[in-house]
Amino acid sequence: MSKLYKPNSELQKNAYINSMDMYRQLWQHADEQPEVYWDKLAKEKINWIKPYSRVLNSSKAPFYSWFEGGKLNIADQCIDRHLAKNSNKNAIIWESESGKTRKITYKKLSVSVNKFANILINDLGVKKGDRVVIYMPIIPEAACAMLACAKIGAIHVVVFGGFSAEVLRERIIDTKAKVVITADGAYRHGKPYMLKPIVDQALNECPADLCNKVLVVKHNKVEIPFISGRDYDYQSLVKSQKSTFKSEPMDSEDISFILHTSGSTGKPKGIQHTTAGYILWAQYTSEIVFDLKEDSVFWCTADIGWITGHTYGVYGPLAAGATIVMYEGVLTYPDAGRCWKIIEKHHVTQLYTAPTAIRLLHKVGPNEPSKYDLSSLKVLGTVGEPINPEAWLWYYNSVGGGRCPIVDTWWQTETGGHMISPLPGATPIKPGSATLPLPGISVEILDVNGTPVSQGSQGLLCITKPWPSMFRSVWHDSDRYIKSYYDVVKSSDKNRHIYFSGDGAYYDENGYIVVTGRTDDVMNISGHRVSSAEVESAIASHLAVAEVAVVSQLDDISGESIVAYVVYHNNYDNLNMLTILNELNQILTTEIGPIIKIKRLIIVPGLPKTRSGKVLRRLLRSIARDEQPTQDLSTIENPTIVKIIQDISQKAS
Ligand code: PRX
């Protein structure tokens, strides 16, 4: 048995769930009487405008609905209900790369969101149910835009500011968005970068009836072209808006937002989240997993373009009435101590970040945390990828001073909130394990027939009962919802609907869950989900490329990095490798965004395929990672190619 780190007794005293006995009892109660458990939580946590009549409707499973008949508003839950007691408390503390700070109280946030909502309705003509694309940097107006959509009942579609015009256009078209909210630009590494010109580029090739209004927040003040009649200046409009707005009463099951994420095939899927179930779990998990209290100062470093930035960057901690920190820049700018300086300056009590960031901070400044007063920290969180023991131990000892529990939280865009995580006042922790499922969450590790695997054996990480914050479907593609998630692991019991996450996992010697990563053709680069197919289709557009297969290798900082196996067309054999690598990376920047780059390019004479022509990516992955292939090579159409690729790969590494 490996060493377990016990919760610190000081934190344990006031934690929501403060012993393993309490955790086990709660988990068992939720498992035996799920509707009683969820009913109690929903009544306790949500400010209902109208009470619901039914907790769970499974009659169309796996299309579930929760809290039917109820009405509420997410913006009320996150802001307005706190005003009576906490109107002068900071809701948002924002810091720019240059060190400029803005502090926004709950009262001020409520006024800003109301004014924003009035602009959306009165000036931009947005109505309940319309889709609004948000393409913004990390500034308070980004959170206001999301909350204003919630206030009026519009569905937001946040697109990560590092994605290209191509991706932005696809998402505008996929959701038939009516409006884009953006900023002129922002700063990274001390230099301005632009967003509005990318919006212009995206809209240039959009069907004319989509997105004919663009709301622009002036932020970095770099001059931008303004298209009269289409572009609206936020700062001018906001001056004349009323500071009140009556929130739209939303049905529990109304869609609150769509967020796209990569799957193993096809284009990214628009994951559809609802209102009541989503905010309930966002709030409750913020409370129990981070031990969030009203005096907490919570800093989630994720961009709002990802689900972590939605659930724990904005919604969950505000619903819990805490203060959130938003930082618009690079964690290591201008130096390796920046992250720790922010914690010291704003007395951050919980830090939530990704293993990639932890590894980078460790590499660039292993002793930096000791130069700052980090005594305000109580809980440390990690998310997005498996964390290696070295990074975990540095985070625990050097950042947390050996007194802050690390919550290694496993979840996904689809799950809406945490599924597997330690509880800081209860669960003994260890490096590399997200430990146990949260109360109400039924996690099982199964084989493809739905049979549980034995301890220590690899299996498929599944969730076998519905939960309120689960996504309800893929936008306009309910077949894909079933096929991608519910058709992979099949049980003989037709009434059992098994959600397969796409991840592999096993139970370790402590009975804890260890997530080993994706089992499909999805890569995890710096905690970002990218499908091999998306990257391959961009690379294949280069004139020299006849065939391509993309896999990931392990990487010290980004967890995984991209290896591209490329077969040239005839007559392209003498190309310079560096030139072609730069050209391919340029294509990836244009098609997807600068976050996706090929780390290793390997030119090969052919790709290993089955007789039916399917490329054996898993075999290529083993070769890229210098692992002994375990795949059955007898089905390969051209078996000699394997040895050739192995030799070329070894020479290239
Ligand atoms: O492979 C798992 C990995 O991230 C995937 C989900 O990615 P996304 O939907 O972008 O959401 C990321 C943030 C919630 C999962 O299928 N993943 C997430 N958390 C962990 C993880 N892998 C290991 N350990 C984790 N704690």
Side-chain angles (χ1 to χ4, degrees):
M1 290 243 184
S2 46
K3 178 177 170 188
L4 291 172
Y5 296 73
K6 296 221 173 83
N8 102 44
S9 50
E10 200 46 43
L11 190 137
Q12 208 163 11
K13 272 191 217 149
N14 295 314
Y16 290 90
I17 298 176
N18 62 9
S19 69
M20 282 310 275
D21 280 349
M22 188 172 169
Y23 159 73
R24 283 196 198 94
Q25 273 171 21
L26 198 58
W27 192 90
Q28 200 164 347
H29 160 65
D31 189 53
E32 285 164 7
Q33 295 177 287
E35 296 199 23
V36 177
Y37 169 77
W38 293 116
D39 186 34
K40 181 165 181 287
L41 267 189
K43 286 198 172 116
E44 242 173 60
K45 301 287 171 189
I46 303 277
N47 251 31
W48 294 98
I49 297 171
K50 182 178 163 236
Y52 51 88
S53 50
R54 186 174 189 177
V55 176
L56 170 65
N57 181 350
S58 303
S59 61
K60 297 191 181 120
F63 295 94
Y64 298 94
S65 54
W66 286 89
F67 311 117
E68 274 177 5
K71 287 203 186 278
L72 71 159
N73 185 282
I74 285 185
D76 281 359
Q77 184 71 17
C78 290
I79 309 169
D80 303 65
R81 75 190 186 104
H82 302 309
L83 293 181
K85 203 169 129 214
N86 281 325
S87 67
N88 291 323
K89 196 176 106 172
N90 285 327
I92 300 178
I93 299 175
W94 173 82
E95 183 164 317
S96 72
E97 259 193 354
S98 65
K100 199 172 126 196
T101 302
R102 280 166 69 189
K103 293 188 174 173
I104 300 168
T105 61
Y106 271 93
K107 175 74 198 151
K108 267 204 214 154
L109 180 63
S110 128
V111 170
S112 301
V113 169
N114 288 345
K115 288 187 174 180
F116 215 121
N118 280 314
I119 294 177
L120 292 180
I121 296 257
N122 300 330
D123 296 286
L124 303 180
V126 179
K127 292 197 277 307
K128 179 178 175 182
D130 284 345
R131 272 78 60 208
V132 173
V133 164
I134 299 177
Y135 188 64
M136 296 276 271
I138 303 303
I139 53 176
E141 287 75 12
C144 289
M146 293 163 78
L147 289 156
C149 286
K151 192 119 215 179
I152 69 172
I155 298 169
H156 62 64
V157 183
V158 182
V159 178
F160 170 55
F163 277 138
S164 66
E166 199 65 40
V167 173
L168 182 60
R169 182 185 309 122
E170 272 170 15
R171 292 180 191 186
I172 291 169
I173 294 173
D174 183 43
T175 57
K176 295 199 168 54
K178 192 164 182 179
V179 166
V180 180
I181 304 173
T182 190
D184 44 8
Y187 293 93
R188 271 187 90 72
H189 295 288
K191 294 197 191 79
Y193 75 92
M194 302 310 291
L195 292 167
K196 168 68 165 49
I198 299 178
V199 174
D200 292 338
Q201 213 184 323
L203 291 181
N204 275 346
E205 287 168 40
C206 259
D209 59 328
L210 294 183
C211 266
N212 39 32
K213 292 195 173 124
V214 177
L215 182 65
V216 186
V217 177
K218 297 268 177 58
H219 177 56
N220 72 359
K221 314 261 170 48
V222 174
E223 205 159 315
I224 42 162
F226 229 70
I227 301 176
S228 151
R230 191 199 71 179
D231 296 346
Y232 291 74
D233 178 347
Y234 167 80
Q235 273 89 351
S236 311
L237 290 177
V238 80
K239 287 186 199 141
S240 56
Q241 301 300 326
K242 279 203 309 197
S243 57
T244 52
F245 188 94
K246 193 171 174 325
S247 302
E248 180 69 35
M250 301 296 288
D251 284 342
S252 294
E253 281 293 304
D254 277 339
I255 301 173
S256 56
F257 66 86
I258 299 165
L259 185 62
H260 290 79
T261 192
S262 295
S264 46
T265 53
K267 289 209 179 295
K269 301 173 268 207
I271 298 298
Q272 213 172 286
H273 279 288
T274 58
T275 299
Y278 173 74
I279 198 65
L280 171 65
W281 197 234
Q283 178 182 329
Y284 186 58
T285 49
S286 295
E287 291 168 351
I288 62 167
V289 171
F290 298 118
D291 198 40
L292 220 56
K293 304 278 165 55
E294 284 194 348
D295 60 355
S296 299
V297 179
F298 181 77
W299 182 21
C300 164
T301 65
D303 191 282
I304 53 152
W306 313 111
I307 190 68
T308 308
H310 281 57
T311 307
Y312 302 108
V314 177
Y315 288 121
L318 289 179
T323 300
I324 58 172
V325 171
M326 291 177 99
Y327 170 58
E328 177 209 345
V330 174
L331 288 179
T332 50
Y333 183 87
D335 54 49
R338 183 57 187 275
C339 179
W340 320 120
K341 196 171 173 186
I342 292 175
I343 293 172
E344 179 183 81
K345 182 171 165 192
H346 301 299
H347 310 290
V348 170
T349 47
Q350 284 89 355
L351 172 67
Y352 192 34
T353 193
T356 293
I358 299 167
R359 287 189 289 263
L360 179 70
L361 290 164
H362 182 195
K363 185 174 167 207
V364 298
N367 300 319
E368 284 298 311
S370 65
K371 298 182 187 161
Y372 298 86
D373 177 4
L374 304 183
S375 59
S376 57
L377 283 173
K378 292 189 171 136
V379 178
L380 300 172
T382 149
V383 60
E385 22 163 356
I387 180 163
N388 49 312
E390 194 192 354
W392 193 99
L393 287 168
W394 180 76
Y395 200 32
Y396 187 77
N397 292 315
S398 299
V399 179
R403 59 169 212 290
C404 303
I406 294 180
V407 287
D408 177 350
T409 58
W410 178 87
W411 60 295
Q412 307 179 292
T413 306
E414 292 85 342
T415 67
H418 301 146
M419 297 284 102
I420 308 173
S421 173
L423 293 165
T427 320
I429 50 175
K430 63 193 271 192
S433 169
T435 71
L436 299 164
L438 294 176
I441 306 303
S442 300
V443 171
E444 291 185 62
I445 304 177
L446 306 171
D447 66 16
V448 281
N449 303 314
T451 310
V453 299
S454 56
Q455 188 178 31
S457 306
Q458 275 268 0
L460 307 172
L461 185 60
C462 299
I463 307 175
T464 51
K465 284 186 187 162
W467 66 102
S469 70
M470 65 195 300
F471 69 129
R472 296 299 190 270
S473 192
V474 173
W475 177 249
H476 282 172
D477 201 347
S478 47
D479 283 354
R480 200 165 172 201
Y481 172 76
I482 300 286
K483 260 200 204 120
S484 304
Y485 300 100
Y486 287 95
D487 265 359
V488 185
V489 178
K490 284 286 200 192
S491 152
S492 51
D493 176 358
K494 276 212 296 255
N495 294 320
R496 196 161 180 247
H497 300 280
I498 300 172
Y499 168 83
F500 171 49
S501 64
D503 281 342
Y506 65 88
Y507 289 108
D508 71 4
E509 70 276 17
N510 299 98
Y512 282 178
I513 297 162
V514 178
V515 180
T516 50
R518 305 288 304 192
T519 61
D520 51 13
D521 290 324
V522 172
M523 302 176 290
N524 191 331
I525 314 295
S526 304
H528 302 147
R529 260 164 84 166
V530 195
S531 80
S532 298
E534 267 175 89
V535 178
E536 287 166 3
S537 107
I539 294 176
S541 67
H542 191 286
L543 275 180
V545 175
E547 281 186 283
V548 54
V550 156
V551 295
S552 68
Q553 63 182 8
L554 298 179
D555 189 283
D556 281 352
I557 299 291
S558 58
E560 293 178 24
S561 60
I562 296 178
V563 182
Y565 289 91
V566 163
V567 183
Y568 283 149
H569 279 298
N570 289 342
N571 307 328
Y572 281 95
D573 295 346
N574 294 322
L575 293 175
N576 176 292
M577 278 282 263
L578 207 57
T579 312
I580 188 118
L581 178 64
N582 286 338
E583 285 174 10
L584 294 177
N585 278 333
Q586 190 47 50
I587 294 178
L588 288 173
T589 300
T590 311
E591 295 287 313
I592 302 174
I595 52 166
I596 301 302
K597 293 234 175 333
I598 301 169
K599 182 93 181 249
R600 199 145 69 100
L601 174 66
I602 303 175
I603 308 300
V604 290
L607 296 174
K609 292 182 189 159
T610 60
R611 293 201 182 92
S612 57
K614 198 171 170 298
V615 174
L616 291 159
R617 285 206 195 87
R618 214 145 297 157
L619 171 64
L620 288 171
R621 193 172 75 166
S622 305
I623 297 174
R625 293 179 180 204
D626 221 0
E627 293 164 357
Q628 203 46 44
T630 50
Q631 294 79 5
D632 173 12
L633 303 186
S634 65
T635 59
I636 300 186
E637 184 197 44
N638 47 349
T640 50
I641 198 73
V642 178
K643 177 82 179 70
I644 297 172
I645 295 176
Q646 271 173 326
D647 289 347
I648 298 175
S649 266
Q650 260 168 10
K651 273 192 213 133
S653 57

